[in-house]
Amino acid sequence: MSKHVTRQALVTTIGAIATTGIALQAHAAMEVSLGHTLSSTSHYSVGADAFKETLERLSDGAFTVTEHTSGSLGGEREMIEGLQIGTVDVVITSTGPLGNFVPETYVLDLPFLFESYDQARCVLDSELGDELLEKMGEHDLTGLAWSENGFRHLTNSRREVATPEDTDGLRVRTMENAVHQEAFRQMGARPTPMAFPELFTALQQGTVDGQENPITVIVATNFWEVQDYLSLTGHVYSPAIVLGSPILLDGLSDEERDWFAQAAAASAEATREEVSRLEREGVALLEENGMTVKTDIDIAPFQQAVEPAYEIFTSQYGTEMLERIRETAGSC
Ligand code: EAX
């Protein structure tokens, strides 16, 4: 009898070892694809490196991360769709197209909502930020961490822009974001929504006259090659988010999911540091590359011009979220 039990135990143990072996082997081969639209010199790539280093270290190599840069997996809207159907595992994206999937995030895209990097980061790191990350779960997405793109500024190939009137008739590429489009319409420009991977060629060919993006993106994309004028309007803070695919993440253990969360947090931190560095050094670099930079812009008329975007937003989505953001920002 005892002999039988022993044999039984032995069989079970061997079985367990075999299963664990298979599991480890499967994990060893588990390649995680990570996509974003920017170049390998960008702040997103710095974040992707931190994600890769952290996940591979915590999992002891059970996961390997492969980064796909420059929109090689598509634009941000396409990649978010990719997360929903499992064709990509992790995406670092601006909130540009996110409101199309998770309308609760539109509030973050309101112009002149945040006053400073410190304030924006503080709000996104608050409970309210966590709540918004969790909302992703209701839309077949997993919100892993708030990262950063930066305060957006206007560039164009036609003329120096110092007032909203100067944007009159300018064809400005915006992200595929209803709030941004409305803000530029109110300013007097002609907004043209477009996915980021199409933007450089559109500027080069003159399909659009201008675009708006943070210093980080203007530097990483060599926009000075196709844009002569930069106006430091800082008209909107552009959050980025590290999103995961529930198709991958829901199948993982709690411990494994926690590694992804830690990797995303490390990614966001590294990206924010790089954004801060480029905020200090980027404008000089752009000037060196021939851009005419308008720095001393009176933003009050811009704020006034885009005010109707707030009314349109609140008439559609109510005031509650906006009030909560302002309240949190006030205590930051
Ligand atoms: O997220 O589309 C944009 O202008 C974004 O700022 C860019 O893809 C980085």
Side-chain angles (χ1 to χ4, degrees):
M1 178 73 180
S2 78
K3 204 172 172 188
H4 174 75
V5 168
T6 307
R7 192 177 301 130
Q8 190 66 29
L10 194 67
V11 168
T12 310
T13 308
I14 290 170
I17 290 169
T19 313
T20 313
I22 288 164
L24 284 178
Q25 225 173 20
H27 278 181
M30 194 170 275
E31 185 184 317
V32 174
S33 57
L34 182 158
H36 62 82
T37 51
L38 300 178
S39 73
S40 57
T41 59
S42 65
H43 57 305
Y44 285 2
S45 239
V46 168
D49 286 349
F51 186 92
K52 178 181 168 70
E53 189 279 317
T54 309
L55 184 64
E56 292 181 359
R57 177 173 42 80
L58 291 176
S59 70
D60 205 10
F63 292 96
T64 58
V65 178
T66 305
E67 180 189 2
H68 302 269
T69 62
S70 307
S72 59
L73 300 181
E76 295 187 328
R77 184 173 46 76
E78 287 166 305
M79 283 192 292
I80 295 172
E81 282 163 4
L83 291 169
Q84 292 181 319
I85 58 173
T87 53
V88 57
D89 301 316
V90 176
V91 168
I92 302 174
T93 175
S94 72
T95 49
L98 191 60
N100 298 309
F101 300 85
V102 188
E104 290 86 349
T105 64
Y106 268 136
V107 67
L108 298 173
D109 303 310
L110 282 165
F112 301 108
L113 178 66
F114 296 117
E115 281 166 10
S116 65
Y117 276 100
D118 281 349
Q119 193 189 57
R121 291 172 184 178
C122 171
V123 170
L124 292 172
D125 292 344
S126 72
E127 268 175 37
L128 186 56
D130 291 346
E131 201 182 299
L132 283 170
L133 279 181
E134 270 165 36
K135 277 266 176 257
M136 307 294 145
E138 295 169 22
H139 303 273
D140 294 331
L141 295 165
T142 306
L144 291 171
W146 286 112
S147 183
E148 188 163 78
N149 199 12
F151 277 93
R152 301 178 82 90
H153 308 289
L154 185 64
T155 71
N156 82 97
S157 57
R158 302 236 161 225
R159 52 181 176 255
E160 187 172 271
V161 170
T163 66
E165 290 72 44
D166 295 334
T167 69
D168 237 29
L170 271 189
R171 287 166 304 171
V172 177
R173 175 270 177 175
T174 67
M175 297 196 285
E176 297 167 278
N177 180 295
V179 174
H180 283 200
Q181 285 167 54
E182 191 51 42
F184 276 91
R185 198 169 296 122
Q186 298 297 342
M187 235 182 257
R190 289 161 57 191
T192 308
M194 189 185 293
F196 189 80
E198 292 163 35
L199 178 55
F200 192 92
T201 311
L203 291 168
Q204 200 167 35
Q205 297 181 343
T207 318
V208 289
D209 305 309
Q211 65 87 43
E212 43 84 57
N213 251 303
I215 300 296
T216 49
V217 178
I218 300 170
V219 169
T221 319
N222 297 6
F223 274 148
W224 58 78
E225 291 175 9
V226 285
Q227 298 279 270
D228 293 332
Y229 302 100
L230 165 62
S231 303
L232 296 183
T233 45
H235 52 273
V236 67
Y237 174 79
S238 183
I241 185 168
V242 185
L243 287 170
S245 169
I247 292 178
L248 170 70
L249 289 157
D250 289 357
L252 301 181
S253 68
D254 287 349
E255 187 189 26
E256 290 167 329
R257 264 196 298 274
D258 184 54
W259 295 337
F260 275 74
Q262 288 190 55
S267 170
E269 196 185 324
T271 297
R272 283 179 178 180
E273 269 173 34
E274 182 65 359
V275 172
S276 296
R277 185 185 74 77
L278 282 162
E279 280 294 330
R280 290 190 302 270
E281 301 169 10
V283 172
L285 196 102
L286 294 173
E287 280 175 328
E288 274 164 37
N289 282 288
M291 283 188 114
T292 303
V293 185
K294 179 81 185 144
T295 50
D296 53 341
I297 292 194
D298 178 12
I299 62 158
F302 283 94
Q303 274 173 310
Q304 228 168 359
V306 301
E307 196 55 42
Y310 274 78
E311 281 146 37
I312 290 165
F313 170 83
T314 50
S315 68
Q316 211 168 340
Y317 299 105
T319 54
E320 193 211 329
M321 206 43 145
L322 181 58
E323 277 161 15
R324 287 181 64 201
I325 294 223
R326 283 183 164 151
E327 200 180 306
T328 310
S331 64
C332 271

